Amino acid sequence: EPEVTQTPSHQVTQMGQEVILRCVPISNHLYFYWYRQILGQKVEFLVSFYNNEISEKSEIFDDQFSVERPDGSNFTLKIRSTKLEDSAMYFCASSTGPAGELFFGEGSRLTVL
Amino acid sequence: GDSVTQMEGPVTLSEEAFLTINCTYTATGYPSLFWYVQYPGEGLQLLLKATKADDKGSNKGFEATYRKETTSFHLEKGSVQVSDSAVYFCALGDAGNNRKLIWGLGTSLAVNP
């Protein structure tokens, strides 16, 4: 069964460092998403991406964040200069269309020290 | 803004017990409603959904009915199994647009043999 894969599963970084989280969406999906869950809080939408551009983003997704689809398979989330409050589980998802079911990866846990 | 409130966990049940996890929402318009499940070590998976009032979503013995009059989407299962142990998330999305799901906090369920 096709699945969304995310790497790394866990990353520990120092405050101020750049982090790139990687995702391989399901191959025939066209819409890609990042969500995050800070420990003890709700899952929050960060950004959606379609046709090589951001289609929607939340207020959380400020200039420190960027997304990219550098090739035909990867979808990345970059945090330019990490802050302590960026510590969270980051989930990548993909779907065939805007109303289609979202398929999620297992998540990448980011710990900022 | 739109929001989802679900009962706090953890919920601990014995095998074959009846399960209810409450979920209520506030939203403008007519959202679609979802239950996602996260098994240990896995990603978020869509369990069931309902797209309009009085719809009943069902899957794997779980059911939830979209009640507009009470703004609720409670998850139920008549007889839980140990394998149902997981975290369950209620979420809502704009009708026809699942790009920006709004999530509840999640309810952890542990089923003991």
Side-chain angles (χ1 to χ4, degrees):
Chain A
E1 185 176 322
E3 58 181 17
V4 176
T5 57
Q6 291 185 239
T7 55
S9 55
H10 188 194
Q11 181 158 355
V12 181
T13 190
Q14 295 292 323
M15 192 168 53
Q17 296 296 304
E18 176 183 282
V19 161
I20 297 176
L21 304 179
R22 292 183 168 80
C23 171
V24 179
I26 294 172
S27 61
N28 65 336
H29 286 188
L30 301 176
Y31 290 76
F32 314 111
Y33 314 83
W34 284 101
Y35 285 79
R36 79 172 184 189
Q37 185 181 27
I38 296 171
L39 189 64
Q41 298 185 25
K42 295 182 178 182
V43 176
E44 301 170 291
F45 168 80
L46 291 179
V47 66
S48 62
F49 190 87
Y50 169 71
N51 199 27
N52 279 322
E53 60 183 28
I54 291 173
S55 48
E56 191 165 2
K57 62 181 181 178
S58 71
E59 57 274 14
I60 302 167
F61 195 87
D62 60 21
D63 292 344
Q64 294 283 76
F65 292 90
S66 62
V67 289
E68 192 179 31
R69 191 156 159 80
D71 52 42
S73 59
N74 288 285
F75 178 53
T76 62
L77 174 69
K78 182 191 291 186
I79 308 174
R80 190 149 33 96
S81 177
T82 50
K83 303 188 281 284
L84 296 176
E85 55 265 36
D86 294 327
S87 295
M89 180 73 87
Y90 289 81
F91 292 103
C92 174
S94 67
S95 67
T96 55
E101 177 182 344
L102 269 63
F103 289 81
F104 285 84
E106 293 179 18
S108 293
R109 179 168 297 285
L110 175 65
T111 301
V112 183
L113 302 177
Chain B
D2 296 356
S3 67
V4 173
T5 302
Q6 61 181 105
M7 64 185 280
E8 292 186 22
V11 174
T12 303
L13 295 173
S14 298
E15 208 164 21
E16 299 184 4
F18 184 85
L19 168 71
T20 300
I21 300 178
N22 290 338
C23 171
T24 57
Y25 68 91
T26 58
T28 53
Y30 303 94
S32 296
L33 299 172
F34 307 85
W35 277 100
Y36 278 81
V37 59
Q38 186 177 29
Y39 298 104
E42 299 185 18
L44 298 159
Q45 301 174 26
L46 179 64
L47 180 60
L48 54 84
K49 68 178 183 181
T51 57
K52 61 183 188 298
D54 300 325
D55 267 3
K56 178 186 283 188
S58 60
N59 185 24
K60 299 182 181 179
F62 291 90
E63 292 183 341
T65 301
Y66 188 161
R67 302 277 187 209
K68 194 168 189 305
E69 63 276 15
T70 54
T71 61
S72 65
F73 192 55
H74 304 321
L75 182 68
E76 296 181 335
K77 185 174 185 181
S79 176
V80 293
Q81 306 300 311
V82 172
S83 56
D84 294 325
S85 298
V87 181
Y88 292 82
F89 295 88
C90 185
L92 70 82
D94 288 341
N97 173 7
N98 294 341
R99 291 199 293 264
K100 186 177 175 181
L101 294 179
I102 295 169
W103 299 75
L105 199 51
T107 303
S108 175
L109 170 67
V111 180
N112 298 320

